[in-house]
């Protein structure tokens, strides 16, 4: 049963991250997920200090606020003329440092440390269960991630055309009357919510890896957004199952193996993609020169 919950949790994480990752890849914002997953640390610390509880709802609220603050600060620095990568690096390291300071200053008084708020372990998800009316209804992480994935599917489904146009041509979207800034912050809010809902249970490496690698793999396999989203979800699910098998065989980190398998699938796509693969491009050039 433990295996089922671990794989289900990983598939939920990978699916949610893969869907959002497609839009991040297209908008050249792949590292925003990494930035958010670290910059929310002060929000988690402040939420705990204010509420005195490690209840996930308060931590989710505090972290989401700081996730949106991170996006706002990055956008502000970019508007001021700073490059995108520099803006991301400055904001997430500064906010992460603030979070570390808050925790270190209060570590002797509270049961909170970096391990419990940032570096989760997916192998333990089956032990943290949700009780409703005295009945055990399964791991808390599965419910939290399931609701998160449902919210993502509903929002993306309702505004798919708007998100698509904003991703490919923001200027045209603005000319069509679409509130580009609103949809930008809506997407970043979903990324922030997904990051926070995920990394406490499964670890930041799995969240960041699944936000980038499956979507980048799918990007090499198709030029259509709908297929790209489908392929990225399938790559994420395959990485979850394959990574668990690898971790079991090697007795290694489950999250690390899942991201490693995702990396292997990306390399295969990079080499063998019919349209963008290195081998096929080389073969086409050789054939054209004959």
């Amino acid at each position: 049963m433990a295996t089922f919950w671990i794989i289900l949790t990983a598939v939920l994480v990978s699916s949610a991250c893969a869907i959002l990752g497609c839009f991040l890849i297209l908008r050249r914002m792949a590292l925003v997920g990494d930035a958010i997953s670290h910059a929310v640390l002060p929000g988690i610390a402040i939420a705990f200090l204010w509420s005195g509880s490690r209840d996930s709802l308060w931590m989710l609220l505090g972290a989401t606020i700081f996730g949106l603050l991170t996006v706002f600060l990055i956008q502000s620095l970019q508007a001021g003329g700073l490059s995108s990568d520099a803006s991301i690096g400055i904001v997430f390291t500064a906010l992460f440092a603030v979070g570390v300071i808050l925790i270190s200053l209060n570590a002797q008084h509270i049961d909170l440390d970096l391990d419990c708020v940032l570096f989760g372990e997916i192998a333990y998800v089956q032990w943290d269960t949700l009780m409703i009316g005295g009945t055990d209804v399964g791991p808390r992480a599965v419910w939290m991630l399931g609701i998160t994935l449902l919210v993502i599917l509903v929002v993306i489904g309702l505004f798919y055309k708007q998100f698509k146009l904003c991703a490919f041509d923001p200027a045209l979207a603005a000319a069509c009357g679409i509130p580009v800034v609103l949809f930008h912050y809506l997407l970043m809010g979903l990324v922030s919510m997904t990051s926070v809902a995920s990394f406490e249970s499964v670890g930041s490496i799995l969240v960041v890896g699944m936000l980038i690698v499956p979507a980048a793999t799918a990007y090499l396999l198709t030029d259509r957004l709908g297929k790209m989203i489908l392929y990225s979800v399938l790559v994420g699910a395959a990485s979850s199952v394959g990574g668990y098998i690898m971790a079991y065989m090697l007795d290694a980190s489950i999250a690390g193996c899942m991201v490693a398998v995702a990396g292997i699938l990306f390399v295969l796509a990079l080499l063998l993609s019919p349209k963008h693969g290195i081998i096929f491009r080389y073969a086409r050039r050789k054939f054209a020169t004959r």
Side-chain angles (χ1 to χ4, degrees):
M1 197 62 179
T3 297
F4 170 77
W5 289 124
I6 291 172
I7 293 178
L8 178 59
T9 302
V11 170
L12 290 174
V13 171
S14 63
S15 299
C17 290
I19 294 171
L20 298 176
C22 290
F23 294 97
L24 294 179
I25 291 289
L26 292 174
R27 300 187 67 169
R28 295 176 173 83
M29 301 179 66
L31 290 179
V32 167
D34 187 20
I36 289 175
S37 67
H38 288 78
V40 297
L41 184 59
I44 294 173
I46 291 172
F48 181 87
L49 292 172
W50 182 75
S51 66
S53 169
R54 286 178 56 182
D55 184 85
S56 297
L57 178 61
W58 289 110
M59 289 191 175
L60 179 63
L61 179 61
T64 301
I65 291 173
F66 268 80
L68 293 174
L69 176 63
T70 301
V71 175
F72 174 76
L73 292 175
I74 291 173
Q75 290 293 111
S76 299
L77 291 178
Q78 289 179 354
L82 204 60
S83 65
S84 176
D85 55 346
S87 301
I88 292 173
I90 290 171
V91 171
F92 102 74
T93 52
L95 289 179
F96 185 66
V98 171
V100 172
I101 291 171
L102 286 173
I103 290 177
S104 63
L105 287 175
N106 296 277
Q108 64 271 30
H109 305 297
I110 61 176
D111 179 26
L112 189 69
D113 55 41
L114 290 178
D115 288 334
C116 71
V117 298
L118 192 61
F119 305 112
E121 175 52 61
I122 193 171
Y124 302 146
V125 294
Q126 74 268 21
W127 304 116
D128 184 15
T129 57
L130 180 65
M131 303 295 293
I132 298 180
T135 304
D136 185 348
V137 295
R140 185 185 302 272
V142 171
W143 284 94
M144 199 168 183
L145 293 168
I147 293 172
T148 300
L149 178 59
L150 179 62
V151 170
I152 291 171
L153 291 174
V154 170
V155 173
I156 298 297
L158 289 175
F159 303 106
Y160 177 76
K161 292 182 179 179
Q162 290 86 342
F163 278 114
K164 182 178 180 179
L165 192 54
C166 289
F168 283 104
D169 196 337
L172 178 60
C176 293
I178 298 174
V180 177
V181 175
L182 174 62
F183 280 99
H184 170 75
Y185 279 101
L186 182 56
L187 177 63
M188 293 302 104
L190 292 175
V191 174
S192 178
M193 179 180 70
T194 303
S195 299
V196 174
S198 302
F199 68 64
E200 185 182 0
S201 300
V202 305
S204 59
I205 184 174
L206 187 60
V207 179
V208 176
M210 291 302 177
L211 271 173
I212 300 173
V213 185
T217 304
Y219 184 79
L220 295 173
L221 299 176
T222 180
D223 294 328
R224 299 180 64 87
L225 179 58
K227 288 185 177 180
M228 181 180 174
I229 293 175
L230 175 61
Y231 291 166
S232 65
V233 171
L234 293 176
V235 169
S239 301
S240 300
V241 176
Y244 181 81
I245 295 173
M246 177 188 288
Y248 179 80
M249 295 175 62
L250 300 178
D251 192 21
S253 166
I254 298 175
C257 287
M258 288 178 178
V259 177
V261 170
I264 292 171
L265 294 177
F266 172 79
V267 172
L268 291 175
L270 182 64
L271 294 173
L272 303 175
S273 172
K275 190 169 184 178
H276 302 290
I278 294 175
I279 293 176
F280 280 89
R281 280 189 297 171
Y282 177 77
R284 283 195 297 268
R285 283 199 300 266
K286 292 290 288 185
F287 181 79
T289 56
R290 290 182 178 178

